[in-house]
Amino acid sequence: MVQRSTVAPAPVPPAAGPSPGAPDPGTPTAGTPTPGSGEATPTGTPASWPAFGAYLDYGALGVARIDELSKWLGGTELRVGHTYLPGDRWANIEGPEGFLDVWARWRRQRDDRMLVLNVPMMERNEAHVPDEEVRALLRRGAAGEFDRHFKALAERLVALKVPDTVIVLGWEMNGTTYTHRCGPDPENWKKYWNRIVSTMRAVPGQEFRFDFAPSRGRDAVPWTQCYPGDDTVDILGMDAYDQPRGLSFEEQVKEPYGLQAHVDFAKAHHKPVSYPEWGLFRNGDNPEYMRGMLDWMARHEPVYNTLTDYCPHGVWTCEKNPKAAEVYRSLLSHLPHVTPAPAPTPVPPAPTHPAGCSPLNLGDWVEYWLGGKLCVKFDWWSRSR
């Protein structure tokens, strides 16, 4: 839904994306959810809340606003920075000089921060390219014609010392907004996704995680038809705005290809979830939706979430949503900073030696490569005679 065609000197509010299409009557409804509407409050404790942030602008202004939003939230730290590469031409998809530097610098300031980068799969990504041309482009991509652009981007991110960037590749592919949409040719779309991921993973030093993030609901095609496979997906995301008009949060949970179907699919494929884009939309200033989403995320513990914070979706920079803003602010203010505990260093078990066996001291370096001490039986001399 967030659209960025070109690198501009000042932020321009992007147009909203399409509403989800009508539910497919032939698709089974997901499991029974816990309703998130009404006066419920998030069930997660501050220590268990997932890393979160907001989309605040795609350039340097977005970085500057992170601290300002943190102050509005009473000092709660935003650990996620989220931006988008322009999709107007290949040179910008490769990571234009100077564009990513400010985001990389912010990420490097703390080890527990996360940089999330939406990456278009095609140039002219918002040019309303017809389906026939999209099919031809997907075939070319699946054949490897565009690999070099993604190799250049990967090398750029590694050079900027942000090799662990989360790549939201080809987002909202199940809709009609973007040239990188899946619908015209799902099979070649999946092959193309796999080529991009393989190309970027082949760059030395990379630690990227790739986030497959459709829009909530069926939209133009079921997003499950676009899923490229477990080997090339690290995170299963979903862009989840409050739409279409009149749809309650509980219905957004239950609908085909909705919030419950998303977490069920992720669980079946052993993937964590994320919400790269979410926010208000067709139902205006809707505090019930805000409570519902915050409760949903507290219970399902996504890798991260980022609210889209401009009108009509946001709460901090958008004065049109005071009721939802109060819910967001009251629930996320003054959260303590929680530094993730480092993974424990495995301690090898103490070696055991059979009775009548004497270990030889060969030194740490030799024992490391041997996998332990050598042991000599006490009666080796008599048995050799």
Side-chain angles (χ1 to χ4, degrees):
M1 183 172 294
V2 176
Q3 302 178 35
R4 282 285 169 256
S5 290
T6 58
V7 178
V12 180
S19 300
D24 182 350
T27 304
T29 303
T32 303
T34 301
S37 56
E39 295 302 317
T41 55
T43 56
T45 62
S48 68
W49 274 63
F52 74 96
Y55 173 74
L56 301 166
D57 182 76
Y58 66 99
L61 181 60
V63 176
R65 283 176 168 171
I66 292 175
D67 284 343
E68 296 174 34
L69 178 54
S70 176
K71 291 176 183 177
W72 185 73
L73 292 173
T76 297
E77 183 175 0
L78 278 66
R79 287 175 43 211
V80 184
H82 190 177
T83 190
Y84 295 69
L85 284 176
D88 56 337
R89 55 197 180 96
W90 284 118
N92 285 332
I93 295 174
E94 292 178 1
E97 188 70 29
F99 179 78
L100 291 172
D101 299 56
V102 63
W103 290 99
R105 190 158 50 248
W106 175 86
R107 163 64 186 89
R108 294 194 305 264
Q109 287 172 353
R110 293 188 69 105
D111 289 341
D112 61 349
R113 286 178 174 173
M114 183 184 306
L115 176 59
V116 175
L117 179 64
N118 277 52
V119 176
M121 294 169 68
M122 294 289 182
E123 66 175 350
R124 298 183 297 137
N125 200 38
E126 298 164 31
H128 307 291
V129 175
D131 283 355
E132 183 178 356
E133 187 173 352
V134 169
R135 278 191 288 271
L137 288 168
L138 290 174
R139 287 195 297 269
R140 292 165 62 190
E145 186 171 333
F146 309 132
D147 288 1
R148 66 187 184 280
H149 304 299
F150 298 97
K151 180 175 184 288
L153 172 61
E155 291 172 342
R156 175 80 177 134
L157 291 169
V158 171
L160 287 170
K161 299 180 181 179
V162 285
D164 58 351
T165 298
V166 174
I167 306 293
V168 187
L169 180 64
W171 69 100
E172 299 184 15
M173 77 299 294
N174 56 325
T176 60
T177 302
Y178 302 112
T179 303
H180 66 217
R181 61 189 181 271
C182 163
D185 189 345
E187 292 308 310
N188 274 314
W189 191 93
K190 290 183 281 191
K191 291 177 183 177
Y192 183 31
W193 165 288
N194 290 333
R195 283 203 69 102
I196 294 171
V197 173
S198 297
T199 297
M200 295 185 72
R201 283 180 176 171
V203 171
Q206 68 80 34
E207 301 171 19
F208 305 126
R209 286 182 288 176
F210 290 88
D211 193 337
F212 172 84
S215 57
R216 196 204 76 239
R218 187 181 188 280
D219 215 326
V221 294
W223 50 262
T224 52
Q225 292 183 9
C226 307
Y227 187 67
D230 292 345
D231 290 345
T232 56
V233 173
D234 299 298
I235 303 169
L236 216 156
M238 177 165 278
D239 290 355
Y241 290 92
D242 185 21
Q243 61 177 355
R245 191 179 305 279
L247 196 70
S248 70
F249 181 76
E250 184 174 352
E251 290 170 322
Q252 294 175 30
V253 171
K254 291 180 177 179
E255 70 175 328
Y257 309 105
L259 291 171
Q260 186 66 49
H262 168 238
V263 296
D264 290 346
F265 187 90
K267 183 177 181 180
H269 290 263
H270 307 288
K271 302 295 179 184
V273 300
S274 72
Y275 300 93
E277 293 184 29
W278 69 279
L280 304 159
F281 197 14
R282 302 293 184 187
N283 295 301
D285 185 11
N286 187 351
E288 287 75 21
Y289 164 84
M290 185 60 64
R291 288 190 191 95
M293 276 299 293
L294 290 173
D295 178 67
W296 183 262
M297 291 186 288
R299 287 186 286 115
H300 291 283
E301 299 182 338
V303 175
Y304 70 94
N305 78 79
T306 42
L307 175 75
T308 300
D309 198 80
Y310 58 79
C311 284
H313 313 301
V315 294
W316 176 53
T317 60
C318 185
E319 296 180 355
K320 296 180 180 180
N321 300 317
K323 295 178 183 178
E326 179 57 29
V327 171
Y328 185 87
R329 192 178 190 187
S330 65
L331 295 177
L332 296 183
S333 287
H334 304 288
L335 296 183
H337 174 73
V338 179
T339 302
T345 302
V347 178
T352 58
H353 304 294
C357 179
S358 177
L360 297 179
N361 185 8
L362 301 176
D364 293 341
W365 188 88
V366 175
E367 289 168 1
Y368 172 81
W369 288 107
L370 291 175
K373 292 182 179 293
L374 285 182
C375 184
V376 179
K377 296 284 287 183
F378 293 146
D379 60 347
W380 69 272
W381 185 79
S382 61
R383 286 188 291 109
S384 65
R385 297 182 65 187

